[in-house]
Amino acid sequence: MASISTLSAALSGTSASDLLRSLSNGVSGIPLRALGRARLNPGRKAISVSAKLRKGKKHEYPWPDDADENVKGGVLTHLSHFKPLKEKQKPVTLDFEKPLVVLEKKIIDVRKMAHETGLDFSDQILSLENKYQQALKDLYTHLTPIQRVNIARHPNRPTFLDHVFNITEKFVELHGDRLGYNDPAIVTGIGTIDGRRYMFMGHQKGRNTKENIQRNFGMPTPHGYRKALRMMYYADHHGFPIVTFIDTPGAFADLKSEELGQGEAIAHNLRTMFGLKVPIISIVIGEGGSGGALAIGCANKLLMLESAVFYVASPEACAAILWKSAKASPQAAEKLKITAPELCKLQIADGIIPEPLGGAHADPAWTSQQIKIAINETMDELLKMDTEELLKHRMLKFRKIGGFQEGIPIERKRKVNMKKKEKPIRMKSVQEPETKVKKVKQKSVKAKESSIGNSDLDLNKMIEKLNKEVDFEFSEAVKAMGLKDRLAALREEFSKAKSLDRLIQPALKDKIEKLSDEFNRGLSKAPNYENLKNKLEMLKNLSESKALSVKDVKEETPLKQEINKKFAEVLGRSDVREKYEALRAEIANSGASTYMNLDPELQKKIDKVKMEIQGELSDALKSLGLDVEVLTSKAEGLSGQASLSLFKPKIKELNEEINQGIESVASRTDLKDKIELLKLEVAKAGKTPDTTSRNKILALEQQIKQSLAAALDSSDLKNKHEKLMEEILETAESSAGLDPKENDGDARIQTNLGAEHTFA
């Protein structure tokens, strides 16, 4: 304590700040904490000074304390800030994937129920899983452009570093642009694939919100592009091939980036990449937006993942400019041609790397291996070129983009790959049948005045050609819906059953009906549905035109023309017209509304005039060389008809009973098998059956008729029919006052028994 008091007296004239500065170097071996608590002036108020040492954060740079020497990629991997996520990413469902989620929930519920109850639901689970896989396949094989945009932006989609660590044996991340900055939105580094060393660089998005903020959502600043430029010079100097990964909405467009020269940095990269003497491959793994993507995308080969997009402006931005609303983004995405297949058709992209069903995030490891295979194959091709060829190849790739020459027909291979509605030749084929339909209809109208042989020939050719095109469109729709293999298997099974003359098995019939229902449900989603619909409509119009033409031909036969001419002459004679007009006037004066209300004398007069006119018409037909047989019956008079009309309900009731009896007989197994066999024989025989097939068909028809007749004869329907016929006969005789022996005509009553009964 003496030393402390002495020190206090010596320093009584100094300030506290001077004291602390002197104490920071230590005084007489006394601890700083003890000095801080010492009294500075015993005469004044006591002042105590305490110093708190701040515990700094322990840096794990460049190595962590427990660095693993056997880590994949080597010890230098510890330099990367990219570490595995501690928590698994949450699943994200896109709007168009919601039907799949419903199916998946059903599968989970059934499995849970099976686990809780101990019952066997394996068949139901298998059926639901098959349905889920088919729905997944149908959905991801017919994605719209805006749906591909949403998949490319999926939060769980694997990033550049995910792919790099999956495909490389060793990878070392390199930082900084040597101008004082390191942009985390662009990552660069050296890695090896199958012993071959590459310079990797790419846009890096975050895997969660925290990483996205750190990586600026994959939007680079000028520092990132200058870092990439430095690594390009480095790779060119050492002869490393360059592989770039593109996944950015675009370059960061804030005020600071513009002040630091964002446009100049991108332009410098573009100019430099065209002069690099090493092979360059660019792979679009997500979305490639505008110049921000192109700044590391001037490569010899541009590859794209199946669901990736590459655009000059985002669909939302394009829709806001052209349609004044971002809601038109689906339409803008379709018009921009930003998907991998469309860019390959335009020769902007050079290849498509497949993704698993559900997108790259469904199986990142498999997607990475597909990228690795594509890099190896493409690099093998490029490494065969010398420096001059490599530079020329890169220059020509970009020089040919946007070049079109008029008057040159589209290549056959390209026509197959293009959408049918976009083909000029397709439009011609759609319009041409329409004009031909009109021409054929005009020819069919003119056929009445001239020979119709040529128009019928043209019509048949058109129908045959259109039938072939419809069959082709149906086969293309089957392929697009993924039903080709199942249809081929069913055809083979059906052909086998036909060749063995066997009945169609119920299981095969169910398969055919199930496939037919599935095809009909999904037909509207097929890419060529509109084309198929148009052709079916044309085929329908042509068929109606043909039917009309045939009907007109039948109606306008020479014999019928002569008969109509003779009838017109008879009915147009003055004496016949006078009789008709006089009779009509008498009926009008009588005031009767029906034939039954007329006077008997007037009824007889009407019957007499009717018989005279019939005789005149009969003589006219005989003059044409035709044999005429007049069927007359007193029971056919109107009075007889009035009496017979009382039996209509009974006849209707008997017909219903007969129909029910036929249906019950037809539902029997033996008769049903015969009917199925008859259908099979008719299908096998086709339009022109040979003698053997015709005999088989006739024999089967006879057997079916005999079975029906035997079954109906055994029932009381036959007795009911005979009894009803007797009642009708008695009523007709009593009402007409005729004797059956004196009746030289026939009265015919037809029922559903399949036979025509005549009573005389």
Side-chain angles (χ1 to χ4, degrees), residues 20 23-24 32-37 48-54:
L20 287 176
L23 290 179
S24 64
L32 180 65
R33 193 170 296 175
L35 289 174
R37 288 195 295 268
S48 65
V49 180
S50 62
K52 211 170 190 181
L53 294 177
R54 191 174 185 181

Side-chain angles (χ1 to χ4, degrees), residues 246 282-284 288 293-294 297-304 309-312 336-352 393-394 396-404 414:
I246 298 172
S282 291
I283 303 171
V284 185
L294 203 60
C298 296
N300 294 93
K301 293 283 186 179
L302 177 66
L303 308 177
M304 296 182 68
V309 291
F310 198 45
Y311 49 72
V312 68
L336 283 170
K337 311 295 182 189
I338 58 179
T339 60
E342 289 167 335
L343 291 173
C344 280
K345 291 172 191 174
L346 296 173
Q347 297 184 3
I348 294 173
D350 299 296
I352 301 174
H393 177 273
R394 196 178 307 148
L396 291 176
K397 170 182 169 50
F398 286 87
R399 288 290 291 174
K400 71 179 179 182
I401 292 176
F404 295 92
R414 188 177 175 190

Side-chain angles (χ1 to χ4, degrees), residues 649-665 711-712 715-721 724 751-753:
K650 292 185 178 181
I651 294 172
K652 184 178 180 181
E653 183 180 354
L654 181 59
N655 282 335
E656 290 178 355
E657 291 183 15
I658 292 170
N659 289 332
Q660 292 176 359
I662 292 173
E663 289 178 0
S664 62
V665 173
L712 293 175
S715 63
D716 59 345
L717 292 174
K718 186 175 181 182
N719 296 331
K720 288 183 179 180
H721 177 266
L724 183 61
T751 62
N752 287 344
L753 279 176

Side-chain angles (χ1 to χ4, degrees), residues 231-294:
M231 299 308 167
M232 290 176 195
Y233 283 130
Y234 184 87
D236 191 44
H237 176 74
H238 292 283
F240 299 155
I242 299 174
V243 180
T244 69
F245 287 75
I246 298 172
D247 187 15
T248 179
F252 195 47
D254 67 329
L255 180 61
K256 189 69 175 176
S257 296
E258 295 299 330
E259 289 175 351
L260 293 172
Q262 184 74 283
E264 182 273 338
I266 294 173
H268 199 171
N269 280 25
L270 296 177
R271 184 185 68 180
T272 302
M273 290 189 79
F274 281 104
L276 296 177
K277 300 175 184 177
V278 293
I280 307 175
I281 299 174
S282 291
I283 303 171
V284 185
I285 59 174
E287 55 178 336
S290 190
L294 203 60

Side-chain angles (χ1 to χ4, degrees), residues 94 96-97 136 139-154 157-158 163 205 246-247 283-288 303-311 315 333 338-344 351-362 366-367 371:
L94 302 175
F96 65 89
E97 293 178 322
L136 182 68
L139 178 62
Y140 275 86
T141 50
H142 301 94
L143 289 172
T144 62
I146 195 64
Q147 288 172 346
R148 292 192 185 275
V149 172
N150 293 331
I151 294 173
R153 295 172 177 172
H154 199 284
R157 194 170 177 86
H163 290 305
K205 286 183 177 180
I246 298 172
D247 187 15
I283 303 171
V284 185
I285 59 174
E287 55 178 336
L303 308 177
M304 296 182 68
L305 286 180
E306 191 175 349
S307 297
V309 291
F310 198 45
Y311 49 72
I338 58 179
T339 60
E342 289 167 335
L343 291 173
C344 280
I352 301 174
I353 301 174
E355 293 185 28
L357 289 176
H361 53 279
W366 187 86
T367 308
I371 292 174

Side-chain angles (χ1 to χ4, degrees), residues 418-549:
M418 290 175 66
K419 287 184 179 179
K420 292 178 176 57
K421 63 181 181 181
E422 295 176 352
K423 295 182 192 177
I425 191 170
R426 277 294 171 193
M427 293 301 296
K428 183 178 178 182
S429 67
V430 169
Q431 293 173 358
E432 186 179 355
E434 293 178 356
T435 56
K436 287 190 176 182
V437 168
K438 294 179 181 178
K439 290 180 181 179
V440 171
K441 283 185 176 181
Q442 292 174 0
K443 287 184 179 181
S444 63
V445 172
K446 293 179 181 178
K448 298 178 183 180
E449 301 175 0
S450 61
S451 176
I452 58 168
N454 293 333
S455 63
D456 286 342
L457 186 61
D458 292 343
L459 189 61
N460 291 332
K461 285 182 179 179
M462 275 293 302
I463 292 175
E464 184 179 357
K465 181 180 178 182
L466 208 51
N467 272 322
K468 290 180 180 179
E469 292 184 5
V470 168
D471 291 341
F472 174 76
E473 294 296 341
F474 270 118
S475 62
E476 289 297 313
V478 169
K479 289 179 185 176
M481 295 167 65
L483 303 176
K484 184 179 178 183
D485 296 337
R486 291 171 60 190
L487 180 61
L490 277 179
R491 277 180 176 170
E492 185 177 354
E493 197 172 345
F494 184 75
S495 301
K496 189 176 179 182
K498 282 177 63 178
S499 62
L500 298 175
D501 289 342
R502 293 189 307 186
L503 294 175
I504 300 177
Q505 297 296 327
L508 178 59
K509 193 173 181 181
D510 292 342
K511 286 181 183 178
I512 294 172
E513 291 177 356
K514 185 177 179 181
L515 183 63
S516 177
D517 293 340
E518 188 175 346
F519 176 77
N520 291 331
R521 285 198 305 270
L523 183 60
S524 59
K525 298 179 182 178
N528 63 335
Y529 174 69
E530 291 298 328
N531 203 8
L532 176 61
K533 187 178 177 182
N534 291 335
K535 290 187 177 180
L536 285 173
E537 186 67 26
M538 293 172 209
L539 185 61
K540 181 181 177 183
N541 292 336
L542 281 175
S543 301
E544 291 176 356
S545 178
K546 182 179 179 181
L548 181 63
S549 176

Side-chain angles (χ1 to χ4, degrees), residues 112-144:
K112 185 178 179 181
M113 187 186 300
H115 179 70
E116 291 175 352
T117 60
L119 299 176
D120 184 15
F121 290 101
S122 56
D123 292 341
Q124 289 84 347
I125 293 172
L126 183 62
S127 175
L128 285 172
E129 286 178 345
N130 291 337
K131 191 175 181 181
Y132 175 83
Q133 291 298 327
Q134 187 62 40
L136 182 68
K137 185 177 180 182
D138 292 342
L139 178 62
Y140 275 86
T141 50
H142 301 94
L143 289 172
T144 62

Side-chain angles (χ1 to χ4, degrees), residues 34-237:
L35 289 174
R37 288 195 295 268
R39 289 186 177 182
L40 298 179
N41 192 343
R44 296 181 182 180
K45 192 176 178 181
I47 298 174
S48 65
V49 180
S50 62
K52 211 170 190 181
L53 294 177
R54 191 174 185 181
K55 192 173 182 181
K57 185 178 178 182
K58 186 176 180 181
H59 293 282
E60 293 186 354
Y61 186 84
W63 312 110
D65 292 338
D66 55 347
D68 185 4
E69 297 181 0
N70 298 318
V71 70
K72 183 185 175 184
V75 182
L76 294 177
T77 306
H78 292 293
L79 292 174
S80 175
H81 300 293
F82 188 80
K83 307 296 181 187
L85 288 174
K86 295 180 181 179
E87 296 181 0
K88 189 178 180 181
Q89 290 176 298
K90 295 180 180 179
V92 177
T93 303
L94 302 175
D95 289 339
F96 65 89
E97 293 178 322
K98 288 181 180 178
L100 299 177
V101 176
V102 175
L103 280 175
E104 198 171 1
K105 188 175 182 299
K106 286 183 181 178
I107 295 172
I108 294 172
D109 292 342
V110 173
R111 282 179 177 164
K112 185 178 179 181
M113 187 186 300
H115 179 70
E116 291 175 352
T117 60
L119 299 176
D120 184 15
F121 290 101
S122 56
D123 292 341
Q124 289 84 347
I125 293 172
L126 183 62
S127 175
L128 285 172
E129 286 178 345
N130 291 337
K131 191 175 181 181
Y132 175 83
Q133 291 298 327
Q134 187 62 40
L136 182 68
K137 185 177 180 182
D138 292 342
L139 178 62
Y140 275 86
T141 50
H142 301 94
L143 289 172
T144 62
I146 195 64
Q147 288 172 346
R148 292 192 185 275
V149 172
N150 293 331
I151 294 173
R153 295 172 177 172
H154 199 284
N156 297 341
R157 194 170 177 86
T159 62
F160 161 56
L161 286 176
D162 286 317
H163 290 305
V164 165
F165 284 123
N166 281 336
I167 66 178
T168 57
E169 295 89 28
K170 293 182 179 181
F171 177 74
V172 180
E173 185 178 343
L174 303 176
H175 304 267
D177 61 353
R178 293 299 182 265
L179 295 173
Y181 299 96
N182 180 54
D183 186 359
I186 283 189
V187 176
T188 60
I190 301 174
T192 59
I193 299 178
D194 296 338
R196 185 183 288 167
R197 189 175 288 107
Y198 296 94
M199 173 63 73
F200 293 97
M201 59 187 68
H203 302 97
Q204 178 63 28
K205 286 183 177 180
R207 296 167 292 179
N208 50 40
T209 305
K210 183 179 178 181
E211 284 191 9
N212 268 321
I213 294 172
Q214 179 191 353
R215 303 281 183 180
N216 198 26
F217 295 87
M219 295 184 288
T221 62
H223 313 309
Y225 293 120
R226 289 179 181 127
K227 176 169 70 171
L229 181 66
R230 182 175 77 87
M231 299 308 167
M232 290 176 195
Y233 283 130
Y234 184 87
D236 191 44
H237 176 74

